[in-house]
Amino acid sequence: MLRTSALLLLLLPATYLAAQNAGSAGKAAQAASLIQPADIKADISFLASDDLAGRNAGSREDHIATDYIASEFLRLGLKPMGDNGTYFQNMELVTANLDAEHTSLTATVNGTEHRYTLNQDFQWARQSLRPARVCGPIVFAGYGISAPEFSYDDLGDANVKGKVVLVFMREPQANDSASKFMGTLDTYHAFYWHKIEALRKRGAAGVLVVQDRVPRDVKPIPPTSPRPTGGPSYALAGEMWDIPVFLIKRDVADQLLAPSGKTSESLQAEIDRTLQPHPFEVPQSSACLAKSFTGTETHKGRNVIALLEGSDPKLKEQTVILTAHHDHMGTANGHIYYGADDDASGIAGILGVARALVKGNIHPKRSILFIAYEGEERIFLGSYFYVTHPVVPLSQTVATLNLDMIGRDEDDANWPTPTDRNVNMVNVLGTRYNPALRKIIDRENKAEGLKLDYKMDRVDPDSLWSRSDHFWFATLHIPQVEFQTGLHPDYHTDNDTWQRINYPKTTKIVRLVFRSVVDLANSGETIAFVPTGAPLVKEAN
Ligand SMILES: [Zn+2]
C-alpha cells in the first residue's frame, strides 16, 4: 500500500487537471448561454427581410447580406481570410438561358445518323454555361466510379481523353441492402456531379448519364405556395463541370451501345452481379454534344471567410470549419423567396457560435474557420470554389460542420414522425463517414438534450445528405457533418419566413454546434474519415 503522502502526490496532478478541465468545460457552458434567441431572431429577420429580396446569388441584396456578415466578423475581431485582406473570397458567376434550338445530341452508329430530341430523349444536366460542341467515340465506363476503398474501378486505365463517356446513374447494387456500397444508402460516388468532375479531370470530351432503371421512391411534399419556376441557369466561370453533360434515356443508350451487342440492362446487371466492371470503347459508335446559350451575363459572387486563430502553437495549424450558405432563391413571379430557414438560420448559427467564442473568451487550441458560402442553391458553387481555392490547407482541415436549415420542425411525407414530435429534433447527416465526430456531437448534446436523428444514415429518400455544401468535403475524404431540421411544406416557398422559425430549438442547436466545435477544436484527436462508411449504430429508441 502506498503511503498517504505519496498517494497525495500522485493524485495532485490528476485533481489539478480535472479541475482545469471542469473549469474550461464550465467556461464553455457559460459561453454557450451567450447564444440567445433574440440574436438569432435579429439575424434571421434581417437576412430574410423584404428588402433583402431572397438574397439571390450575386444580386445586390445578396451582397448586402454578405456585407452584414463581414461586419459581424469585423466587430468580433476575427481575421479576414478573403482576397486582399478582406473577408470576401470573390468568384465569377455566370447566368444564361439554354438555347434549345442550338443544343443537340446526335450520333453515328454503324454508319447511321441519329438525331435526338431535347427534353424527350435527352435532358440538360447542371454544368458550365460555356457554349461548346464536342464529338468523339463512345466509351462505356460502367457507373463512372473509381472507388479503391471498395476495390471497385469503372475507369481503370480506360482512355477517356477526347471521348464521349457513357455512364450509369448512381452506383452498383444501389437497391441492394447487402451492397458493399453502404447498402441502399448512396455513397458520395453515386452522385453524378461528382462523376462529371472525375471524368472532366481525366480529359473526357463529354458525358452521357443514363437514367436510373427504377425511379427513386420519393414522396413529394406539396408546397404551401408556388415554388420558383423559370429564370436562368447559374454556374461558376472556370473549370467546374466544364464539359457537355446530358442525361439520356435508356433506349438512347441502347442505340449507342448496339454495335457492342450489349444493352444497358445486360451491362448493368452484369456489373451489379460481379462488381467487375470492364470499360470499353464501343466500335462504330460516336456522338456529338452541343450546348448553346442566350442572355449570358456575369455577376460577382463571394464567400465570406473569417478565422479565429487557435491558441496552441502547434495545433493552430489544424482547422475546424463551420459553414452555412448566405444565398437563397431571390424573387420570381411576384413572390419573394425569403429563405429564413434556408439558410438565414444557418448564417445566424455561425454568427452565434463566433460571438459566443469571442465574447465568452474561449480560445480553443485548433483554429476555427467560418465560411458563409455563395450559390448553394445553384448547386454548391461557393463551396466548390472554396475546396478548389482553400485558404487553409485541406490536409490540415480537421472537419467541416455545415448548418443548412436549422430553424423548423420536419414535416416530410417520407418520414412517419408527425411534426409535433419534431419540435426538439435535429437531423445529423454524414457521420457514417466519420463516427468519431458523431461521438463528440452525442457527448456534447447531453447538456442540450436535443433529439438527434441519424435516420438518414440508414435511408435517405430525398438524398438530403448530398444536397448541401459539405458534400465536396466528403469527396475529398475530409470529415463532414450537416445539421438540418428537415424538409417542410414551406421549403422553397414564400412562406419560409422569419416568423415561422422555432427560435428556442434553433438556439439549442446553435449551442450544441458551439459546444461540438469547442470540443473538437480543443482536442488533439484526429477524426478519421472512413471511406467505406462505419457500420450503422443501433439506435436506443
Ligand atoms: Zn439551403
Side-chain angles (χ1 to χ4, degrees):
M1 196 177 158
L2 280 169
R3 280 184 300 142
T4 319
S5 58
L7 188 69
L8 266 179
L9 270 178
L10 277 175
L11 280 177
L12 261 175
T15 321
Y16 175 71
L17 278 177
Q20 242 201 350
N21 278 342
S24 72
K27 208 171 148 192
Q30 245 172 23
S33 68
L34 295 173
I35 296 166
Q36 287 292 327
D39 290 317
I40 290 170
K41 190 183 273 188
D43 288 336
I44 297 179
S45 62
F46 173 72
L47 293 167
S49 61
D50 282 3
D51 288 328
L52 287 201
R55 309 182 306 282
N56 196 22
S59 68
R60 178 177 162 77
E61 292 83 1
D62 193 34
H63 279 239
I64 295 170
T66 52
D67 285 334
Y68 173 74
I69 298 163
S71 282
E72 291 299 299
F73 288 159
L74 179 64
R75 190 195 311 278
L76 294 170
L78 300 178
K79 187 175 172 187
M81 296 295 282
D83 302 340
N84 309 316
T86 72
Y87 292 102
F88 301 119
Q89 182 181 45
N90 298 292
M91 67 197 82
E92 196 169 273
L93 303 177
V94 184
T95 61
N97 298 300
L98 189 67
D99 173 3
E101 204 184 320
H102 298 103
T103 294
S104 63
L105 172 63
T106 55
T108 308
V109 184
N110 283 330
T112 308
E113 305 266 333
H114 300 275
R115 188 173 187 90
Y116 300 107
T117 308
L118 179 65
N119 295 329
Q120 192 176 308
D121 303 314
F122 73 102
Q123 269 184 330
W124 167 257
R126 197 59 72 119
Q127 58 196 275
S128 78
L129 300 173
R130 198 171 60 86
R133 183 171 190 278
V134 300
C135 295
I138 301 281
V139 168
F140 169 75
Y143 286 88
I145 289 173
S146 203
E149 67 271 30
F150 298 117
S151 315
Y152 182 89
D153 193 359
D154 275 312
L155 304 171
D157 46 19
N159 176 14
V160 299
K161 214 171 161 83
K163 314 283 170 71
V164 173
V165 186
L166 187 91
V167 295
F168 294 126
M169 199 79 140
R170 297 181 72 192
E171 62 192 7
Q173 305 178 337
N175 301 314
D176 179 353
S177 58
S179 166
K180 65 178 173 181
F181 284 78
M182 289 202 215
T184 55
L185 196 69
D186 285 331
T187 70
Y188 70 79
H189 297 288
F191 299 98
Y192 71 80
W193 40 86
H194 176 54
K195 299 180 188 185
I196 297 168
E197 274 303 277
L199 290 167
R200 179 185 67 78
K201 286 175 185 158
R202 282 172 169 250
V207 181
L208 297 173
V209 182
V210 185
Q211 70 175 180
D212 215 357
R213 278 168 297 189
V214 197
R216 306 200 71 179
D217 182 21
V218 188
K219 297 188 186 77
I221 306 173
T224 55
S225 176
R227 300 207 166 107
T229 52
S233 286
Y234 282 70
L236 273 183
E239 294 182 330
M240 183 191 193
W241 301 335
D242 194 18
I243 46 175
V245 185
F246 295 142
L247 307 178
I248 60 169
K249 284 207 163 154
R250 293 180 81 84
D251 54 0
V252 174
D254 289 342
Q255 207 155 46
L256 299 173
L257 289 164
S260 71
K262 313 247 181 178
T263 64
S264 54
E265 200 53 51
S266 69
L267 284 165
Q268 198 161 12
E270 190 187 328
I271 295 176
D272 283 4
R273 193 177 60 249
T274 62
L275 293 182
Q276 296 292 326
H278 299 288
F280 62 89
E281 187 167 322
V282 184
Q284 300 295 316
S285 185
S286 63
C288 292
L289 290 69
K291 54 176 179 172
S292 180
F293 305 94
T294 59
T296 304
E297 291 176 6
T298 58
H299 308 265
K300 285 188 174 19
R302 54 197 196 180
N303 293 331
V304 195
I305 315 183
L307 186 80
L308 180 72
E309 213 159 63
S311 57
D312 183 279
K314 270 196 185 139
L315 286 174
K316 74 175 184 184
E317 300 306 323
Q318 302 177 5
T319 308
V320 175
I321 305 185
L322 181 62
T323 69
H325 69 90
H326 58 73
D327 69 304
H328 190 58
M329 305 296 290
T331 59
N333 309 317
H335 299 270
I336 298 176
Y337 293 92
Y338 295 100
D341 182 31
D342 187 6
D343 186 25
S345 66
I347 296 293
I350 68 172
L351 292 177
V353 171
R355 288 183 195 119
L357 283 162
V358 173
K359 293 181 180 168
N361 213 13
I362 306 289
H363 301 283
K365 293 173 185 162
R366 285 167 164 161
S367 297
I368 300 170
L369 190 71
F370 300 89
I371 311 179
Y373 286 125
E374 176 66 276
E376 186 276 345
E377 300 289 2
R378 312 300 174 176
I379 312 206
F380 337 140
L381 303 181
S383 48
Y384 182 87
F385 192 85
Y386 179 79
V387 297
T388 50
H389 303 82
V391 301
V392 297
L394 293 175
S395 62
Q396 295 280 68
T397 298
V398 178
T400 186
L401 289 80
N402 184 35
L403 316 180
D404 193 356
M405 300 171 58
I406 54 164
R408 295 289 294 263
D409 302 328
E410 187 168 78
D411 184 1
D412 179 339
N414 292 288
W415 301 109
T417 314
T419 315
D420 59 3
R421 283 181 49 205
N422 290 328
V423 293
N424 192 43
M425 184 280 281
V426 58
N427 293 305
V428 183
L429 290 81
T431 61
R432 282 286 290 283
Y433 280 122
N434 21 257
L437 197 50
R438 171 172 176 169
K439 273 200 184 128
I440 290 176
I441 295 163
D442 282 337
R443 178 164 76 219
E444 292 299 332
N445 187 48
K446 290 201 176 98
E448 296 301 336
L450 282 154
K451 183 184 176 223
L452 303 185
D453 201 329
Y454 293 92
K455 59 179 177 276
M456 288 176 229
D457 277 357
R458 292 190 298 276
V459 54
D460 186 5
D462 297 303
S463 292
L464 281 180
W465 172 75
S466 73
R467 285 166 56 184
S468 191
D469 294 306
H470 55 278
F471 176 79
W472 299 120
F473 289 84
T475 69
L476 295 163
H477 290 196
I478 297 170
Q480 40 68 56
V481 63
E482 182 189 28
F483 292 85
Q484 169 251 80
T485 47
L487 297 178
H488 48 81
D490 293 339
Y491 168 73
H492 281 207
T493 75
D494 60 3
N495 289 320
D496 180 7
T497 60
W498 66 267
Q499 291 92 339
R500 295 188 178 202
I501 297 289
N502 178 344
Y503 288 102
K505 179 168 85 172
T506 306
T507 306
K508 283 170 79 171
I509 296 169
V510 178
R511 287 178 180 178
L512 169 62
V513 171
F514 167 79
R515 288 173 186 276
S516 304
V517 165
V518 172
D519 189 330
L520 186 56
N522 262 333
S523 92
E525 188 188 358
T526 307
I527 305 296
F529 184 88
V530 183
T532 52
L536 276 172
V537 175
K538 214 168 175 319
E539 301 297 329
N541 46 350

